[in-house]
C-alpha cells in the first residue's frame, strides 16, 4: 500500500499531531506522517516527533519580512519532503492566498467547536458563557477566512453542569484526537469530493 505523504504543521505542543503520529505507526494506516513542521523552533511537539523517528523541520516566521516569504520557505521544505497532504495541529499563523492556492482542498484544520458556531479563539469559554449543552470539534478544509472552509467531519461532546473551561477543554481534546485520526484515515483511504460547501468522504471514486 502506498501511503499518502502527510505533513503536520504545529506551533506548540501538538497533541493532535502526537495522535496522528501514533496512529500512523500502524502499517495499515493509509497516511504516513512524513514531516512535522513548526513555525516555532522551540515548539515542544518537534522533540516528540523526533523521538518517534519522524522527520521534523522548523521555519521560523519571525525571520521573514512578510507572510508570503515565510510561506514560500515552508513550501520549499514541504516539496523537499514530497508532501501531498497537510494537517494542522495547532498551527497558529494566518495564511496568504498564495499558500492557500497551493494547498486548498488538501489542507485540514481541527477547530475546537462545532462550526459554524464559535469561530475564532476562546471557544470553550464562549460556549460556557452561552450555556450551550453540546459542544465539540470540527475537521475542516483551510480556506482564506479563518475557520471558514468546508466541514469534513465533526464530533460532539456534552457540556456538563459542573464543567469549567479546563474540564471542557480536556473532554474536547480527547474528541479532537479521535476525530483527527479517524478523519485523516477515512479521507485518505476512501478519497473525498467537495460540492459547494458539502464534503463527502468515499465519493471520489
Ligand atoms: C487544538 O486543540 C485544536 O483545536 C486547535 O489548536 C489546538 C492545538 O493543540 N486548532 P495541540 O498543540 O495539538 O495540543
Amino acid at each position: 500500500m502506498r501511503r499518502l505523504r502527510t505533513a503536520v504543521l504545529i506551533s506548540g505542543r501538538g497533541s493532535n499531531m502526537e495522535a496522528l503520529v501514533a496512529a500512523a505507526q500502524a502499517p495499515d494506516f493509509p497516511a504516513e506522517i512524513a514531516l512535522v513542521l513548526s513555525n516555532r523552533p522551540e515548539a515542544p511537539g518537534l522533540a516528540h516527533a523526533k523521538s518517534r523517528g519522524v522527520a521534523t523541520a522548523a521555519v521560523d516566521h519571525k525571520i521573514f519580512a512578510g507572510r508570503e516569504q515565510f510561506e514560500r520557505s515552508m513550501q520549499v521544505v514541504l516539496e523537499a519532503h514530497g508532501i501531498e497532504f497537510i494537517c494542522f495541529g495547532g498551527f497558529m499563523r494566518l495564511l496568504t492566498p498564495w499558500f492557500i492556492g497551493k494547498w486548498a482542498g488538501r489542507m485540514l484544520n481541527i477547530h475546537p467547536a462545532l462550526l459554524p458556531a464559535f469561530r475564532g479563539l476562546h471557544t470553550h469559554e464562549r460556549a460556557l458563557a452561552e450555556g450551550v449543552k453540546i459542544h465539540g470539534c470540527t475537521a475542516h478544509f483551510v480556506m482564506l477566512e479563518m475557520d471558514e472552509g468546508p466541514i469534513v467531519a465533526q464530533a460532539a461532546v456534552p457540556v456538563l453542569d459542573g464543567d469549567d473551561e479546563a474540564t471542557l477543554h480536556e473532554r474536547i481534546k480527547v474528541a479532537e484526537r479521535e476525530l483527527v485520526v479517524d478523519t485523516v484515515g477515512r479521507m485518505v483511504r476512501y478519497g473525498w469530493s467537495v460540492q459547494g460547501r458539502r464534503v463527502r468522504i468515499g465519493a471520489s471514486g
Side-chain angles (χ1 to χ4, degrees):
M1 178 180 70
R2 199 185 86 80
R3 305 165 83 201
L4 198 73
R5 291 183 67 79
T6 301
V8 186
L9 268 50
I10 64 169
S11 296
R13 183 181 142 207
S15 59
N16 290 336
M17 172 277 291
E18 285 180 16
L20 276 171
V21 165
Q25 265 157 6
D28 62 341
F29 192 75
E32 173 192 353
I33 307 306
L35 176 69
V36 172
L37 172 60
S38 176
N39 65 306
R40 291 186 189 278
E42 72 286 3
L46 288 176
H48 175 88
K50 243 183 234 161
S51 77
R52 294 293 185 278
V54 176
T56 61
V59 179
D60 187 348
H61 67 275
K62 291 195 291 294
I63 68 170
F64 295 92
R67 284 187 193 280
E68 195 177 308
Q69 288 95 319
F70 158 66
E71 291 169 350
R72 283 182 185 273
S73 189
M74 278 205 303
Q75 182 68 19
V76 168
V77 177
L78 292 166
E79 281 174 14
H81 286 81
I83 298 304
E84 302 164 284
F85 188 84
I86 293 177
C87 183
F88 284 12
F91 182 67
M92 304 303 278
R93 300 304 299 163
L94 291 176
L95 299 165
T96 70
W98 181 81
F99 194 76
I100 305 270
K102 293 260 174 234
W103 291 98
R106 297 186 295 148
M107 185 157 63
L108 196 72
N109 182 45
I110 306 297
H111 180 72
L114 292 172
L115 292 174
F118 304 119
R119 292 191 169 107
L121 298 174
H122 311 298
T123 53
H124 308 329
E125 182 188 324
R126 287 156 58 208
L128 288 170
E130 290 290 352
V132 298
K133 302 299 185 196
I134 303 278
H135 190 38
C137 46
T138 301
H140 66 96
F141 285 121
V142 179
M143 294 293 173
L144 203 48
E145 300 302 319
M146 195 166 64
D147 309 327
E148 265 294 347
I151 292 169
V152 181
Q154 296 185 298
V157 304
V159 180
L160 304 179
D161 290 346
D163 270 340
D164 57 20
E165 237 180 278
T167 56
L168 189 53
H169 175 81
E170 270 321 302
R171 197 173 306 121
I172 300 263
K173 293 296 277 187
V174 172
E176 282 187 359
R177 293 195 286 269
E178 282 173 17
L179 182 71
V180 74
V181 168
D182 177 69
T183 306
V184 170
R186 285 190 302 119
M187 288 176 79
V188 176
R189 206 181 293 279
Y190 304 119
W192 64 91
S193 63
V194 187
Q195 262 194 324
R197 293 191 61 80
R198 299 188 68 179
V199 180
R200 285 176 67 187
I201 293 179
S204 68

